[in-house]
Amino acid sequence: MSQIPEDVVPAAGENELVQRTALGVLFTLSFSHLLNDTMQSLIPAMYPVMKQSFDLTFTQIGLITLTYQMTASLLQPLVGFYTDRHPKPYSLSVGMAFTLLGLVWLSRAGNLTELLCSAALVGAGSSVFHPEASRVAHMAAGGKHGFAQSLFQVGGNTGSSLGPLLAAWIIVPHGQKSLAWFSLLALLGIVVLAQVGGWYARNRHQMKPKAKPVHSSGEALPRGRVRISLAILMLLIVSKYFYLISLTNYYTFYLIHHFDVSVRASQVYLFVFLFAVAAGTILGGPLGDRFGRKIVIWVSILGVAPFTILLPHVGLTGTAILTVVIGLVLASAFSAILVFAQDLMPGNVGMVAGLFFGFAFGVSGVASAALGKLADMTSIEFVFNVCGYLPLLGLFAAFLPNLGKHPRAK
């Protein structure tokens, strides 16, 4: 892959090569994200099997997710902060190796403690992968950062949607030990990410120096306004991921309990929802590049509220249709939120990615534990009724600044 300094304008024949190379890196990152999140999604997809095999309560199931998500949550910002200052191109392969070890252990786990420890290893793999891969996507974006993050994210969400299907086809009929076969995906990921690491090492010069975020009026944003804006973005993350976890982790139980569907059928319904999430992900970044990220954030969070509030009051067919709409609309938010935050803190791409991926993982873990406890205390139907109102927090997006484009670094 050719190395072209940022301040050099390539000749006509070279420009096509540069664009093709960048897209190749982005598609490779998206594919590796698919592998990573396919393996991670096997954990919640296995919950019905684990619940039966280990006689787990909803609270204990929530604890497994909490352990996995909090491991990733606490470590990701630290990884991003460190690698912003000390880039480690081949750390992506190391992160995938942690995931491999976690999967093998999970396939052999014999009690709740081992389930928690193996889930923590998978979480550690995520803590390395997400901030570093997001940084490389930023490097390869060619200025279209929303598009790059969406393409990166769609791989992950597609992988997440495959977990329930793989669980239904392989793990449910063949049991927990069949999970070990998925370590082959981790080995493939290590090889692929080693190639990405080589490109990363050769193109580190593409990371721009720090600049200040700029309001659409042309004035630099005060530090206090930046902090308030970051707090609002985190509140929106809370809204988005508390609701997503209610579906990702408990939708199968809701369908089994409320509509008396089979475990295998519930996994197919979950796949349909998660595939809609994957499809919706690709929209947020390009729309944000074209129309502004604030409007995308506003529509994707608040705009989904009528559908989430209606969901617990319709039949099985209506539930399936509404979850598709919810997945398509809500999924567009994260890429827009992440790039908006990176625009607020230019020069800290890895730290911001780690912070927001980590915060999303942490919120997901807390949400899983809290909603599991709430389901044990009340009912799974009550959980879905309460969570339906969370997207109303999207009203706070009105207080985000209208960002302009900060000047190119000289």
Side-chain angles (χ1 to χ4, degrees):
M1 296 182 183
S2 58
Q3 181 174 341
I4 301 177
E6 185 182 322
D7 58 350
V8 174
V9 179
E14 294 174 328
N15 187 59
E16 184 180 352
L17 176 62
V18 173
Q19 293 286 49
R20 185 167 63 246
T21 300
L23 283 174
V25 172
L26 290 175
F27 277 110
T28 303
L29 283 171
S30 187
F31 175 67
S32 64
H33 202 181
L34 182 149
L35 294 176
N36 185 77
D37 285 22
T38 295
M39 293 180 287
Q40 292 171 4
S41 69
L42 292 172
I43 297 178
M46 282 181 60
Y47 285 164
V49 175
M50 291 180 182
K51 191 175 192 300
Q52 184 175 8
S53 299
F54 296 94
D55 194 25
L56 301 177
T57 65
F58 284 123
T59 302
Q60 289 171 321
I61 287 172
L63 184 60
I64 294 172
T65 303
L66 177 64
T67 301
Y68 155 67
Q69 303 283 32
M70 289 303 291
T71 302
S73 175
L74 295 174
L75 292 178
Q76 283 196 56
L78 298 178
V79 171
F81 179 82
Y82 177 77
T83 54
D84 273 335
R85 290 147 183 80
H86 309 283
K88 304 293 181 184
Y90 295 99
S91 60
L92 288 165
S93 294
V94 174
M96 191 64 73
F98 278 109
T99 300
L100 187 154
L101 293 174
L103 277 181
V104 173
W105 193 356
L106 187 61
S107 71
R108 302 294 177 180
N111 52 56
L112 179 60
T113 300
E114 291 190 18
L115 290 175
L116 294 174
C117 291
S118 56
L121 267 179
V122 177
S126 287
S127 72
V128 177
F129 175 81
H130 286 101
E132 281 297 270
S134 182
R135 180 207 307 282
V136 180
H138 192 277
M139 289 171 57
K144 298 180 180 179
H145 299 302
F147 167 75
Q149 288 298 332
S150 284
L151 185 57
F152 172 63
Q153 282 295 108
V154 77
N157 286 341
T158 302
S160 295
S161 72
L162 294 176
L165 280 185
L166 294 173
W169 293 340
I170 299 175
I171 298 173
V172 171
H174 299 290
Q176 176 187 350
K177 291 184 178 180
S178 63
L179 186 65
W181 286 103
F182 293 99
S183 61
L184 295 175
L185 296 181
L187 287 173
L188 175 60
I190 290 172
V191 173
V192 170
L193 289 172
Q195 304 304 309
V196 174
W199 183 90
Y200 181 5
R202 293 189 298 272
N203 291 273
R204 279 161 45 183
H205 64 277
Q206 294 189 30
M207 296 303 293
K208 297 180 180 180
K210 293 185 180 181
K212 291 184 178 181
V214 179
H215 192 273
S216 57
S217 65
E219 298 179 357
L221 285 180
R223 184 172 298 179
R225 185 73 189 278
V226 170
R227 290 173 179 171
I228 292 172
S229 299
L230 290 173
I232 292 173
L233 293 175
M234 288 185 172
L235 179 63
L236 298 178
I237 290 287
V238 171
S239 168
K240 170 183 165 67
Y241 280 93
F242 254 81
Y243 189 79
L244 275 181
I245 281 295
S246 73
L247 283 170
T248 304
N249 282 16
Y250 299 107
Y251 184 39
T252 53
F253 297 113
Y254 176 77
L255 294 173
I256 292 167
H257 184 267
H258 195 65
F259 297 111
D260 198 30
V261 304
S262 67
V263 172
R264 180 170 290 188
S266 72
Q267 297 284 8
V268 175
Y269 280 108
L270 179 58
F271 162 75
V272 171
F273 163 69
L274 292 175
F275 188 80
V277 171
T281 301
I282 198 64
L283 298 175
L287 289 175
D289 288 336
R290 183 176 178 84
F291 299 107
R293 308 191 211 290
K294 180 177 177 179
I295 188 65
V296 171
I297 294 169
W298 175 276
V299 172
S300 62
I301 302 289
L302 185 61
V304 83
F307 306 107
T308 61
I309 293 171
L310 180 62
L311 180 68
H313 307 289
V314 298
L316 179 59
T317 301
T319 297
I321 293 172
L322 284 177
T323 55
V324 170
V325 176
I326 291 167
L328 285 170
V329 178
L330 193 59
S332 62
F334 186 77
S335 295
I337 289 173
L338 177 59
V339 178
F340 195 103
Q342 289 174 333
D343 288 343
L344 287 170
M345 299 182 66
N348 294 282
V349 174
M351 186 188 73
V352 171
L355 177 64
F356 275 80
F357 274 111
F359 186 68
F361 274 64
V363 167
S364 298
V366 172
S368 180
L371 296 179
K373 184 67 174 178
L374 184 61
D376 284 334
M377 293 172 59
T378 57
S379 68
I380 201 72
E381 289 85 359
F382 181 78
V383 168
F384 275 74
N385 272 288
V386 170
C387 289
Y389 293 91
L390 288 172
L392 292 176
L393 291 173
L395 288 166
F396 283 92
F399 299 102
L400 291 172
N402 297 311
L403 292 183
K405 295 181 179 181
H406 44 73
R408 290 177 61 88
K410 302 294 184 184

